[in-house]
Amino acid sequence: MPELPTFLSLFLLLHTSESLPLVPSLLNPPVPHANSQAYVETSNVTSQYTIYASNISSCRFKTAVIPCECFLQVSNDYRLEENGKLLTTFSVSPPDIKIFTPSNHEMLNELTVHIKPKLCREDLADIQLEHRSFQVFPGDEESSWKTVSAVAKTLKDTKTSLIFGCKHFADPGYYRVSIRLSLVNYTVQGEKWIVVNRTTQNVLRLREDSIFPHCSSDFTIGWDLAQCSMDHLHYRLRILAVPEGAKNHDDGAVYIEEIGIAADQYSLKISCSQFDIIHEKYCFELVSVNRNSSVSHTWHSACVSTEPVERKVGGWSAWSEWSACSETCGLGRQRRVRFCNEPVPKRSKYCDGPLIETQECILAKCPEAMMPQSLSTNCSCGCALSTEASSFFASSRHSRMCEGNQTWNLPRMDGLKIADFTVKKQGNAKGKLFFFLRAPYQELVWSSDSHQEYQFSLPLSASIFVVLWSKSNDTSRMIQANDGFTVSYSIRNADALPTVAKIDSCQPFCPETMAIAVMAIIFICIIFIPPLVCAAVTASIKRNSSPEVPLIDNKYDSEMIRSGNTESTHVSSRNYVAKRSIGIQLSVQSTPRTARACLSHESPVPPRGQSSLSEFGELEYDDYDGTTFPGSFLAPVQDIMYSQIDIDQIIGQSELFINSVEKADVHTQI
């Protein structure tokens, strides 16, 4: 038989080795830690073993003991081969190092950290103490951590302790301890953060009754500072005045001043003249500023009344009864409360101690939910459910294979039977779960997006249909195997039908629909009613006002503007009237009006721009500049004048005769 080409032999070898069934677990432990000891469970001592990490050979060995250098990388892509054949794939978890820290720590106190490593080889570790403020911007939670101290230490398999000095805890916030390993190139962090926000050090000492009448010359304020050497903290004393009626010094307090405190100073005297009885009390705050981090902190605050007042120390009331358990089955919590009202504190501090207490409560064991089943059970796409207690898993990752929505059916049962359901949403469940009575999509009684309880009961007087609706683009590649709804149910007898968690079939009068309709009506009213009201009011005002006097007579010629028996200046077609003057003779003599034809030879037309009666002193002129229309409410028409002289018509007709070439002043005599 001819020999196969080299590349073909290699292909067949790889294909054969990869097609072999993988042994579930040949390692002890199945998931070893980085830089730890592990074993191969095999009886063949002559085999050659090879471990690959991310397709790179990490080590080869022939014994059941796996060398430490085989697990120097944290990865999910490890392979174990025996004589070139793949045996199993496995993962390597982070190094086995436990960090023990308290949940809370007092400011300006040293912290002892205990470390318990289990490493196969020595590793030089960089142990860091990191700080972060309580409030940070969303998305900056990880980048806000700042290293305040770092210590280098060699770790292997011996428990060790480390002390961080008190000066590292001068700022309030969260603290954590992290260990950076150089051999494995991995950072191990503590499981919990340390809350640092309180201290019994750095307190003020002053009178608690009142400033007056005890203050005669000076008021003395003292303080006790922490023994921790803090050269980077600058202490100051802040003074605030609280007005009458304020609940606390944060409510409308008046800033007075801040006084710097020297390192060797432990008291301060303030002149009594600095205090005024118009303020109810004065508050003093011991504050500091960290020169390194620019973080300010208020260590202690104390208030004292300006004058003697009644004081009453508050007291706690009796504890209330324990509340109902937060869960309906399994492990839950319940609480009780008390109040600081026996008596209510008056100008005194609040009661010391907790306001709320909680404890665990254990109820009957919850029904076990069945884990996701494979398609071989023939129920992943829906099926007829058993009439006994059972459970099933509904996942939209099967929607494409099921060619539509999955439907489970619990048949109707004779007698008064009740089905108690428990729905548990697991992972990132896609789709919506619906419960219908009698037929699918007929009478909706529960849905996963209706904010109802996930534990409910339904009567079995009608068939129950459970439908999982999912979008067509939900594929198994985007959905994990444990993403879905686990539905558990049990059947019991009942003397009467229970209250069903039913969603009313309210179309078209659902609460949501009615709310939208009401909002639409309100919006329409806001948009359309004001203009209609305005138009109606305007029309009413016009009807009740005086009748308008016509201002314009459309009859005119191009040579002369005529107005009764009054004289009008000749206007050529190239001019227009820009200003009109109307003279009214005030002479007491009774001069008869003469026809215009008889006076034409005695009254020559004056030059343009001059009045024909300008030299008569008995005439007065009323200049009309065209900005006010006669007949309006600014220039009402007098009936007696309108009956004798048609002034409005003169103005209206002259306004029509406009030419943009040249302007001329016109004076009309009456």
Side-chain angles (χ1 to χ4, degrees), residues 59-266:
C59 64
R60 291 183 175 87
F61 56 95
K62 294 184 178 181
T63 63
V65 180
I66 302 177
C68 299
E69 58 269 15
C70 293
F71 304 138
L72 296 181
Q73 179 182 351
V74 179
S75 174
N76 295 326
D77 189 14
Y78 271 85
R79 302 198 319 269
L80 174 62
E81 293 184 359
E82 181 183 10
N83 298 327
K85 297 180 181 180
L86 180 63
L87 292 182
T88 185
T89 60
F90 60 97
S91 301
V92 173
S93 60
D96 187 7
I97 299 179
K98 298 292 189 299
I99 304 174
F100 301 94
T101 57
S103 300
N104 295 274
H105 184 66
E106 195 170 302
M107 300 180 66
L108 300 182
N109 280 266
E110 63 181 22
L111 174 68
T112 302
V113 179
H114 301 285
I115 303 173
K116 186 178 180 180
K118 289 185 179 181
L119 303 179
C120 185
R121 297 177 59 182
E122 286 187 350
D123 198 341
L124 181 61
D126 184 21
I127 305 174
Q128 299 178 350
L129 177 66
E130 299 175 319
H131 168 262
R132 196 205 83 179
S133 60
F134 288 116
Q135 297 179 349
V136 297
F137 290 104
D140 296 340
E141 291 84 355
E142 191 61 31
S143 61
S144 299
W145 289 99
K146 306 298 180 183
T147 302
V148 296
S149 179
V151 178
K153 202 172 187 66
T154 301
L155 302 178
K156 188 179 179 183
D157 55 359
T158 305
K159 184 177 180 180
T160 183
S161 299
L162 188 65
I163 298 177
F164 291 100
C166 58
K167 63 181 181 180
H168 302 303
F169 300 95
D171 296 334
Y174 294 115
Y175 288 79
R176 72 180 183 185
V177 177
S178 61
I179 301 176
R180 181 71 181 180
L181 300 172
S182 57
L183 186 61
V184 183
N185 192 22
Y186 189 84
T187 300
V188 179
Q189 295 180 351
E191 296 181 356
K192 54 186 176 182
W193 298 347
I194 309 170
V195 179
V196 177
N197 193 31
R198 299 180 181 275
T199 182
T200 56
Q201 307 182 71
N202 292 352
V203 295
L204 293 171
R205 294 180 284 103
L206 69 161
R207 296 186 66 102
E208 295 183 356
D209 47 4
S210 63
I211 298 176
F212 299 110
H214 312 288
C215 187
S216 57
S217 59
D218 295 321
F219 185 76
T220 303
I221 304 170
W223 52 84
D224 296 325
L225 298 181
Q227 298 299 323
C228 184
S229 177
M230 302 292 294
D231 297 335
H232 59 282
L233 283 186
H234 178 50
Y235 289 97
R236 304 181 66 85
L237 180 66
R238 181 181 299 159
I239 305 175
L240 305 172
V242 182
E244 184 74 26
K247 296 181 180 180
N248 50 59
H249 70 280
D250 294 330
D251 184 14
V254 180
Y255 175 85
I256 302 299
E257 64 175 329
E258 282 189 13
I259 303 174
I261 298 175
D264 56 348
Q265 186 179 2
Y266 296 97

Side-chain angles (χ1 to χ4, degrees), residues 567 596 599-606:
E567 182 180 16
R596 180 65 57 191
L599 298 177
S600 59
H601 63 281
E602 298 176 1
S603 302
V605 178

